Amino acid sequence: MGIADLGLPVDVPSTALFTDQYELTMLQAALKAGTADRGSVFEVFTRRLPNGRRYGVVAGTGRVLDAVENFRFDSDVLGFLRERDIVGEETLDWLAGYRFSGDIWGYPEGEVYFPGSPIMRVEGSFAECVLLETVILSILNHDSAIAAAASRMSSAAGDRPLIEMGARRTHELAAVAASRAAYLGGFASTSDLAAGFRYGIPTVGTSAHAFTLLHDRERDAFQAQVNSLGRGTTLLVDTYDVAEAVRTAVEVAGPELGAVRIDSGDLLLVAHRVRQQLDDLGARDTRIIVTSDLDEYAIASLAAAPVDAYGVGTQLVTGSGHPTCSMVYKLVARAESAAPAAPLVPVAKKSTGGKTSVGGRKWAARRLDAEGVAEAEVIGTGAVPAGLADRQLLVELVRKGEVVAREPLEVARARHAAVRDGLPLSAAQLSRGEPVLATEYLL
């Protein structure tokens, strides 16, 4: 069953207008100039990682594939373009039959990337490729930013599970995508039911402070929750007095109480006190879950605390200070004419201010050291050296317009965990520093 078959309210009938107007005006000008059918290669890459980040995480590839399949100009979309006089009738006629028929290669979802990495390569005519720029970038920039933050947080958390709780801190549709990216990056579950429904991510949730405040006594609230959800539930214990709440929670649920959640205060100090109190009350198996504006640094600072799980919201869904990856979509090669056999020639923007790019259709490989640890990201044009042939990173995603590499989210999640484990140990450092792998060019 495809996503479209689910009939979810978060779906849209077409992704064709998830674009910038200049994509269509470029198309129209190219059609009139006779250059629209020239074979072209576009690449997605970033010139630098966010300040202090050691690696990036590729996320959103599966959503890109869905977006490309749904990039259709139906009658309503065409009517809008006609009403606004954005393009002329000849261009509208061309758009009415639009179906991407080219090829897409890319780093598999969950892989890591570095400055200059050709994260995605889109090949076809200029006309059909240029239209996809905005929607591809909007998905990859958002999802990869969230996944990178999630990866850092899960690395800091170690074996302790992370709960994604950021739906109320972002746009309702972005929340679903953020939950998907967080799960890929190492989070264990989400509070967002739409994400659970759409992507099969485990969902969790019990109660908020409002539920406690609703009742005349905290004991009544705890009893009502235990009656409904069982003794294994999680009780929120910081509405009034934490020590009194913990005592009441164990009295109500017994030592079988599943967990307590702490959402405020000095989490390090309170967690130690709550653990001691739970143990003294015989609730030695009751877990402690902490929330309250956590990020990777706060999580790392709690490594020595008796904490069993973390709930993260705002900092996660905003990329922990870096809500975009600054990925760009650039033409790197184009044919000399519209003839099917016309050779490709490299092209590149030349400018000051750090916005230069490298022309040519590229491959990428990751070189390993003698211990099997990654030591360099190698990017080149032309033939791939024999020693790197089995270390190439780009995989075929779309062939002649047909998706050929759709995969379950669990596969991308497992891939990221394995790839991250293969990076140098310094990749897990939260201190500011350069990318953990240098980028080498063979041009």
Side-chain angles (χ1 to χ4, degrees):
M1 177 182 289
I3 288 175
D5 298 323
L6 296 176
L8 296 176
V10 292
D11 281 330
V12 292
S14 168
T15 55
L17 292 183
F18 290 170
T19 191
D20 292 306
Q21 180 167 315
Y22 80 168
E23 315 290 7
L24 301 187
T25 54
M26 282 193 288
L27 166 67
Q28 176 162 286
L31 288 171
K32 290 185 177 181
T35 53
D37 290 332
R38 288 189 176 188
S40 299
V41 180
F42 286 83
E43 288 177 353
V44 175
F45 62 93
T46 184
R47 296 183 177 95
R48 64 192 65 83
L49 297 180
N51 188 30
R53 295 289 170 89
R54 303 301 179 92
Y55 59 90
V57 180
V58 178
T61 307
R63 297 208 308 121
V64 166
L65 299 180
D66 294 336
V68 171
E69 283 189 330
N70 290 325
F71 206 91
R72 304 284 187 268
F73 291 84
D74 58 26
S75 57
D76 289 339
V77 171
L78 293 171
F80 166 78
L81 297 175
R82 180 179 291 108
E83 177 186 342
R84 296 292 182 92
D85 195 26
I86 292 172
V87 291
E89 287 299 324
E90 291 185 5
T91 304
L92 292 172
D93 289 343
W94 189 94
L95 292 172
Y98 179 84
R99 300 291 185 274
F100 180 73
S101 63
D103 302 327
I104 299 178
W105 290 70
Y107 280 37
E109 196 161 18
E111 182 59 85
V112 298
Y113 69 87
F114 299 91
S117 296
I119 297 162
M120 185 169 287
R121 190 175 72 219
V122 182
E123 306 180 50
S125 70
F126 175 83
E128 62 182 342
C129 293
V130 75
L131 293 181
L132 299 177
E133 174 181 7
T134 304
V135 70
I136 287 176
L137 286 179
S138 65
I139 293 172
L140 292 181
N141 267 312
H142 173 269
D143 290 23
S144 296
I146 306 305
S151 180
R152 284 163 59 88
M153 292 175 187
S154 78
S155 180
D159 295 332
R160 298 171 177 177
L162 291 156
I163 307 164
E164 185 276 310
M165 304 170 64
R168 64 191 61 195
R169 302 302 188 197
T170 188
H171 185 279
E172 67 271 20
L173 301 188
V176 182
S179 181
R180 180 185 184 279
Y183 188 65
L184 183 153
F187 274 58
S189 57
T190 180
S191 65
D192 191 285
L193 291 177
F197 181 51
R198 184 172 182 133
Y199 296 117
I201 301 168
T203 58
V204 296
T206 52
S207 68
H209 292 103
F211 186 76
T212 301
L213 295 170
L214 169 69
H215 293 80
D216 296 334
R217 299 184 304 165
E218 192 170 44
R219 178 181 295 273
D220 296 337
F222 288 174
Q223 189 65 63
Q225 185 173 327
V226 169
N227 290 345
S228 176
L229 300 178
R231 295 178 185 273
T233 190
T234 299
L235 295 177
L236 180 59
V237 296
D238 72 325
T239 305
Y240 303 118
D241 179 83
V242 172
E244 180 61 29
V246 171
R247 183 164 36 254
T248 302
V250 176
E251 288 176 359
V252 169
E256 299 85 11
L257 174 62
V260 295
R261 178 162 74 95
I262 307 166
D263 188 50
S264 60
D266 183 336
L267 297 179
L268 179 62
L269 175 63
V270 175
H272 277 287
R273 289 177 174 173
V274 168
R275 180 74 273 159
Q276 183 63 55
Q277 186 180 11
L278 288 169
D279 291 348
D280 291 344
L281 293 170
R284 295 183 175 276
D285 294 329
T286 299
R287 297 175 302 125
I288 297 174
I289 300 171
V290 296
T291 53
S292 185
D293 292 327
L294 299 178
D295 61 11
E296 59 266 50
Y297 303 102
I299 291 169
S301 74
L302 292 168
V307 171
D308 297 285
Y310 307 92
V312 189
T314 303
Q315 291 301 319
L316 175 68
V317 299
T318 56
S320 194
H322 298 289
T324 182
C325 301
S326 299
M327 293 179 185
V328 295
Y329 183 95
K330 296 298 181 183
L331 182 67
V332 296
R334 52 88 174 166
E336 295 178 331
S337 72
L344 292 173
V345 295
V347 294
K349 174 182 178 181
K350 296 187 184 300
S351 66
T352 58
K355 283 196 170 185
T356 57
S357 56
V358 179
R361 182 180 184 272
K362 298 173 198 69
W363 51 263
R366 189 161 297 143
R367 191 173 67 238
L368 308 182
D369 65 16
E371 303 298 324
V373 177
E375 67 176 5
E377 193 89 341
V378 185
I379 299 169
T381 57
V384 181
L388 295 174
D390 63 346
R391 300 297 309 166
Q392 293 190 72
L393 294 166
L394 280 82
V395 299
E396 190 176 27
L397 301 172
V398 176
R399 181 190 309 136
K400 295 182 178 179
E402 297 296 324
V403 174
V404 296
R406 187 171 273 113
E407 61 184 10
L409 182 58
E410 291 285 354
V411 173
R413 172 182 163 86
R415 176 183 295 120
H416 177 64
V419 169
R420 190 178 66 186
D421 286 346
L423 294 175
L425 291 176
S426 57
Q429 293 179 344
L430 297 180
S431 57
R432 295 189 180 277
E434 297 300 315
V436 71
L437 297 188
T439 302
E440 299 179 4
Y441 287 96
L442 298 178
L443 303 176

